[in-house]
Amino acid sequence: MLDNKVALVTGASRGIGKAIVEVFAKNGAIVYANARKEGDLDDIISENIIPLYFDVTDNSGIKNAFSQIKKEQGRLDILVNNAGIMKDALIGMISGEVMREIFETNVFAVAELIQFASKFMIRQKSGSIINISSLVGVNGNKGQLVYSASKGAVISMTKTAAKELAQYNIRVNSIAPGIIDTDLHSFVGKEHMAERIAGIGMKRLGTPCDVANSCLFLASDLSEYVTGQVIGVDGSALI
């Protein structure tokens, strides 16, 4: 489904990002996988999975990454903005430092990566940008004021970028996962996890592959007339 396409996936060392890289590569893409820490991608590197180590909040790191892609491939067909952080706190306990950290990674970095990727794609007159948001970015959630605001901002950016870039045949969509079985939720005790699963219509946690397969659809030509959409991958979860 992705033969001859070049992709960049951020936050690819584990969980959803890692699954996206593996699904894309399996379907024929050349995938540039991003992580912050050198060596974190050693277990997935292959002939068509190329590691790029940089922090998405580092402008020079982003520039160097796109320069490498341009030099080696001359094009970029798919960008998946997956890198993100989640830090929960009740309203009275939120610090300015946490607010800045979450927005720098979840919002400002996404905007900058969209800017760099769109330069490639405008020249090509084609491309697909996929922004990973969250169900809480749509519905909100107690204890996640800043995180949900950041993911809501991702959805707003998606809709705006889709309108601006449609004239260049560039699609911009967002996926809003519900509760996915990754280490982000490893701190939740068994009792609380059981409560969360009870609130999911399909009565199970989502898997990283559930999200990756939705990304595959949006990255492929099967979605060539789909843009500005927010696709929930949540098993009918209630928050």
Side-chain angles (χ1 to χ4, degrees):
M1 291 174 67
L2 301 181
D3 282 349
N4 303 315
K5 293 187 184 293
V6 179
L8 169 60
V9 180
T10 66
S13 63
R14 59 187 181 179
I16 291 171
K18 183 178 180 180
I20 294 169
V21 168
E22 292 173 339
V23 167
F24 280 11
K26 182 179 178 181
N27 280 272
I30 297 170
V31 187
Y32 284 83
N34 154 259
R36 284 185 297 179
K37 188 178 177 182
E38 193 86 26
D40 275 357
L41 299 166
D42 286 353
D43 62 333
I44 62 171
I45 293 172
S46 67
E47 184 177 351
N48 58 336
I49 298 177
I50 303 162
L52 283 177
Y53 293 106
F54 65 93
D55 189 319
V56 295
T57 65
D58 176 23
N59 178 266
S60 62
I62 293 174
K63 285 182 179 178
N64 291 337
F66 278 91
S67 294
Q68 180 178 334
I69 294 170
K70 182 178 181 181
K71 180 180 179 181
E72 294 177 357
Q73 307 298 333
R75 64 182 296 110
L76 180 68
D77 301 290
I78 304 156
L79 167 66
V80 182
N81 280 311
N82 171 70
I85 59 173
M86 180 173 68
K87 294 188 176 182
D88 298 345
L90 295 173
I91 289 171
M93 304 298 292
I94 302 167
S95 70
E97 181 182 354
V98 166
M99 284 191 278
R100 284 188 292 272
E101 185 180 2
I102 290 175
F103 267 76
E104 282 174 2
T105 301
N106 295 4
V107 181
F108 304 153
V110 170
E112 189 161 20
L113 284 155
I114 289 172
Q115 287 181 301
F116 274 91
S118 64
K119 291 177 183 178
F120 277 77
M121 295 174 179
I122 287 171
R123 289 195 297 268
Q124 299 163 187
K125 297 291 192 292
S126 67
S128 175
I129 297 172
I130 304 164
N131 300 318
I132 305 300
S133 180
S134 170
L135 179 60
V136 304
V138 179
N139 295 338
N141 193 35
K142 183 174 70 174
Q144 294 188 306
L145 180 77
V146 180
Y147 178 72
S148 61
S150 73
K151 290 303 187 177
V154 168
I155 289 171
S156 295
M157 285 193 292
T158 296
K159 291 178 179 292
T160 298
K163 288 178 169 64
E164 189 170 330
L165 297 175
Q167 62 183 311
Y168 304 108
N169 196 35
I170 299 168
R171 295 172 286 114
V172 189
N173 293 286
S174 180
I175 289 178
I179 304 173
I180 307 299
D181 190 9
T182 69
D183 58 6
L184 274 179
H185 297 285
S186 61
F187 63 90
V188 178
K190 289 184 178 180
E191 181 180 343
H192 291 295
M193 185 57 72
E195 291 176 3
R196 292 188 178 190
I197 292 173
I200 300 172
M202 291 187 172
K203 302 305 178 188
R204 69 169 178 88
L205 297 178
T207 69
C209 279
D210 289 326
V211 180
N213 287 334
S214 296
C215 285
L216 176 61
F217 166 71
L218 292 174
S220 77
D221 293 339
L222 291 176
S223 60
E224 63 182 0
Y225 201 58
V226 178
T227 193
Q229 302 304 306
V230 181
I231 298 177
V233 181
D234 58 33
S236 189
L238 301 174
I239 289 184

